Amino acid sequence: MALMDFKTITVPDPPEVTVRAGTAPDGKLTLKLVDLKLSDVSFLPLSVAAVPVGILSMLLSKPTASAVRKFFTDQTLDVPLPQPLGTSFPAGDTEVKVRLDQPELGSHNGMLMISGTPSVS
């Protein structure tokens, strides 16, 4: 155990995150955080030395949650898509390989859709 040891507590636990996905021109998946439901962030002291900091964190739990929401909302993350996308799984004594060449991102009824040319071997 460290000199100052804490357990992080959030309300709700875990926080609810809503992201919007889109495509970047270079074939990456772009994720944008559009909503973060988080009302409290506090640190429960797990060591005696951590008690004063833990008490302070309880007093600042709502402002801390607000600061975290403001910091992360509208942040974007680019996730590279492997070319091609693929997976494999066993079927009896053989392995089935499924591959999606030239993946393209789109949407259908508000849901993320990845399309491309499939091949199965």
Side-chain angles (χ1 to χ4, degrees):
M1 181 179 280
L3 177 64
M4 290 188 133
D5 203 8
F6 300 93
K7 177 180 179 182
T8 305
I9 301 170
T10 62
V11 176
D13 182 32
E16 296 174 26
V17 178
T18 303
V19 296
R20 180 170 292 130
T23 56
D26 52 2
K28 294 179 181 175
L29 173 64
T30 300
L31 300 175
K32 180 178 181 180
L33 194 144
V34 294
D35 188 30
L36 174 59
K37 290 189 183 357
L38 180 65
S39 60
D40 288 333
V41 176
S42 55
F43 301 96
L44 178 66
L46 297 178
S47 64
V48 174
V51 170
V53 176
I55 292 170
L56 180 62
S57 82
M58 296 295 183
L59 297 172
L60 297 174
S61 65
K62 290 193 185 303
T64 301
S66 176
V68 169
R69 282 192 313 270
K70 286 179 184 175
F71 178 79
F72 284 108
T73 300
D74 292 331
Q75 294 288 327
T76 59
L77 172 67
D78 289 336
V79 179
L81 290 175
Q83 300 284 335
L85 295 174
T87 188
S88 62
F89 56 91
D93 293 339
T94 189
E95 183 177 10
V96 176
K97 296 179 183 177
V98 180
R99 190 176 74 212
L100 186 64
D101 293 316
Q102 300 174 331
E104 294 181 15
L105 293 172
S107 64
H108 177 71
N109 292 333
M111 296 181 294
L112 177 66
M113 180 177 71
I114 299 176
S115 60
T117 306
S119 65
V120 179
S121 59

